[in-house]
Amino acid sequence: MSRARSIQPSLDVPSRPAWEEEPSLAARLVKGAILAAVVLAVLFPMWSVLVTSLASRITINDAGGMVVIPREIDLSAFATIFSGGQVMRALLVSVFVTVVGTSVSMFVTVLAAYGLSRPTSFGHRPILFYFLLTFLVYPGLVPSYLVVAGLGLKDSLWALIAPSALSVFNLVVVRAFFMSIPADLIDAATIDGAGEWRIMMQIVLPLSKAVLAVVALFYAVGYWNAYFNAVLYIDDNDKWPIQRVLQSYILAGQSPHVTGVPIALPGITAYPPTLAIKMAVVVVTVLPAVLVYPFVQRHFTKGVIVGAVKG
Amino acid sequence: MSSQADTQIAEVAREGPAPLPTPCVAGQRRSLRAQLVRDWPLIAMTAPAALLILVFHYVPTLGNVIAFQDYNPFMGKDAFDAFVHSDWIGFSNFETLFDDSAFWDAVRNTLSITLFQLVFFFPLPIILAILLSEVTSTRLRNFVQSVAYLPHFFSWVLVITFFVQMLGGAGLVAQELRRHGLPTWDVMTNPSTFIVLVTSEAVWKDVGWGTIIFLAALAGIDPSLYEAAAVDGAGRWRRLWHVTLPGIRPVVVLLLILRLGDALSVGFEQYILQREAVGRQAAEVLDTYVYYQAIIPQQWGLGAAAGLFKAAIGLGLILTANKLAHRLGEQGVYSSQ
């Protein structure tokens, strides 16, 4: 992994060099305030949502809505959404789409990236061009919709996977990393009689764990967060993913301008969900990203930059 | 999102249209047949990805020709059959489109939002990156970076939910104001401030993520330049002006041009999620126009015409931006490596 690390730009500046003057107190305060504001702007809403999801009805009534200072931990909102019904179903749908989708995407992406990692191979340039051209010419919404619908994928979970299964950007990132692996390693394996599949599985992939982790995270986040595909292709609300359900719980009907049909919320209740339940849905929607994030976060710079380095 | 998209385009800028040098030396080139025998596994490996691209990218791209048709899905037993049997009507869909004032509203909204974000969003990641690079404590900087990147991984539904719960009519701020007897307002449904709202949401989601590329550029500036400037008597601001900004200029210029090349795309889900709350006048952008005027009423030909219009302008802008980027010598862009 040392070569991977050498690609990552060093952001580490040691302590202040001798020639640099100490910043004034005012400058420090201003900088500190800006950075604190950035951190707070992200963490405070998340905190308030979490605390509200764990608050009892009385606490929410006393606060008049969103709660900031926790008084107790009341898990009844989570008990309600996990006891079955729409949210539970939507979570299972989203988990299925994310797990299956990410597996399919990684399989397709890694294979293609490996296939394109040898610039002297047969047909390399036209095939690469075939993929890169997608950045310049793209279909509009209408033909894409007609193709997916024409394939009979409406109301199928595959409509949430297949159209977005390959990101050419991710393909380029993985390919660039594969190309940075020394050719000697691969030549040696070829001389020892290893085929392409074996070289990929036993030499290239083990050396690429970091970049594969980042790309898998990008894919997984994409699948988990996808909202509009479900609006387009999934009419059956038993098959809605979690983002679609969250939208119907919180954003639909928030304003007088709404013209759409009010969305019934089958499963949970006949009465509108309480604030605590709404916030509990937000928490379970945020949670996967927050949980996976720390493990992959340190590789981001590489994941974002490396695709651009080679070329 | 935007930084990732920018990097995508940067990749095309360097690799797409420009022909790569052929590494083969004359005399070493094997026969094509021998190459094919050697390399067929590699080609086979690209097949699943190529198939996906064909079905979900190139087929619909070609399908845009229904912009010149009165496309009716009930004319045949499947989509392709219907395409064969639908009537060709020339440019009539485009005439309908260009006569529709709602379409021009959508174009105007899209361009205003692009321009507004160029002024009020684009500089923020640069400023934040410079601030972060001046933090001497590695732990503090890592903490701030980790927190600031996080919202990039939230869906638009979540981002807007957070804004509704904090700033909406029933949100935390309004609720505290009401408790103290102060007047409240609802920024989430106010069309006249919508452009500020969407920009704030975009900033909240992506300002941290946007710093990555600038931090890399900052790290690539030779520290001895700062030292030399300091020895020559340049203070903090002069060093910022004469060393830091010129050092990251290539990246800034390139990203700026690429953003301009993408001027007709402002994001999609963000607008579709808020269009009902704010109303069409302020929140209709090109992509939502296609959804509401074509997909829902099943005006396929009209929608394809709008899509084709956007794609054609987009392609022109990207190619122009590419040319400009090449002219500005974009090999300096990732000089931090």
Side-chain angles (χ1 to χ4, degrees), chain A residues 69-89:
Chain A
I69 300 153
R71 270 202 233 153
E72 71 276 291
I73 291 185
D74 182 340
L75 291 171
S76 59
F78 288 94
T80 311
I81 61 174
F82 283 118
S83 66
Q86 174 122 36
V87 176
M88 192 65 203
R89 260 199 310 276

Side-chain angles (χ1 to χ4, degrees), chain A:
Chain A
M1 284 297 92
S2 63
R3 94 174 271 102
R5 206 158 287 145
S6 69
I7 292 171
Q8 189 163 20
S10 157
L11 304 178
D12 279 351
V13 190
S15 60
R16 212 172 288 287
W19 47 264
E20 192 172 337
E21 62 274 45
E22 283 291 307
S24 71
L25 184 64
R28 280 186 179 191
L29 283 178
V30 170
K31 278 186 216 167
I34 294 175
L35 294 182
V38 169
V39 169
L40 270 182
V42 174
L43 293 185
F44 180 78
M46 295 173 67
W47 166 257
S48 176
V49 163
L50 178 66
V51 169
T52 309
S53 75
L54 294 170
S56 68
R57 188 168 297 225
I58 302 163
T59 311
I60 290 178
N61 278 343
D62 287 351
M66 297 297 290
V67 182
V68 177
I69 300 153
R71 270 202 233 153
E72 71 276 291
I73 291 185
D74 182 340
L75 291 171
S76 59
F78 288 94
T80 311
I81 61 174
F82 283 118
S83 66
Q86 174 122 36
V87 176
M88 192 65 203
R89 260 199 310 276
L91 281 172
L92 291 177
V93 167
S94 282
V95 168
F96 174 83
V97 168
T98 305
V99 171
V100 174
T102 307
S103 314
V104 171
S105 292
M106 288 307 286
F107 179 75
V108 172
T109 307
V110 165
L111 271 187
Y114 185 82
L116 285 168
S117 64
R118 213 81 50 76
T120 53
S121 69
F122 184 84
H124 175 264
R125 271 180 54 193
I127 299 175
L128 184 64
F129 184 74
Y130 172 85
F131 284 105
L132 292 180
L133 189 65
T134 59
F135 288 147
L136 291 182
V137 249
Y138 42 87
L141 192 55
V142 166
S144 303
Y145 175 86
L146 290 175
V147 164
V148 173
L151 289 170
L153 293 180
K154 275 210 90 170
D155 269 335
S156 155
L157 294 185
W158 290 104
L160 305 180
I161 295 175
S164 51
L166 179 72
S167 146
V168 178
F169 173 73
N170 287 343
L171 168 63
V172 167
V173 168
V174 175
R175 167 180 174 267
F177 194 89
F178 287 174
M179 287 173 73
S180 73
I181 291 171
D184 297 353
L185 275 177
I186 289 151
D187 291 346
T190 313
I191 290 164
D192 289 346
E196 297 293 358
W197 178 263
R198 197 154 162 217
I199 295 175
M200 182 180 85
M201 297 302 284
Q202 296 192 349
I203 296 174
V204 173
L205 292 192
L207 287 171
S208 313
K209 281 179 196 146
V211 76
L212 295 180
V214 175
V215 168
L217 176 83
F218 283 161
Y219 274 128
V221 166
Y223 283 115
W224 183 263
N225 284 348
Y227 161 76
F228 187 62
N229 274 352
V231 175
L232 274 182
Y233 303 127
I234 311 288
D235 295 330
D236 177 359
N237 51 20
D238 281 350
K239 291 180 184 159
W240 277 358
I242 188 69
Q243 306 290 342
R244 181 74 182 84
V245 169
L246 179 65
Q247 186 270 341
S248 77
Y249 269 43
I250 295 185
L251 301 182
Q254 54 147 324
S255 91
H257 294 283
V258 169
T259 50
V261 190
I263 296 163
L265 304 171
I268 287 209
T269 46
Y271 52 87
T274 65
L275 186 60
I277 289 178
K278 287 180 180 181
M279 292 306 107
V281 180
V282 177
V283 171
V284 293
T285 313
V286 173
L287 211 56
V290 176
L291 288 183
V292 180
Y293 180 75
F295 298 100
V296 194
Q297 188 250 334
R298 63 202 163 94
H299 301 305
F300 282 157
T301 312
K302 184 166 49 199
V304 175
I305 303 287
V306 80
V309 177
K310 296 289 289 186

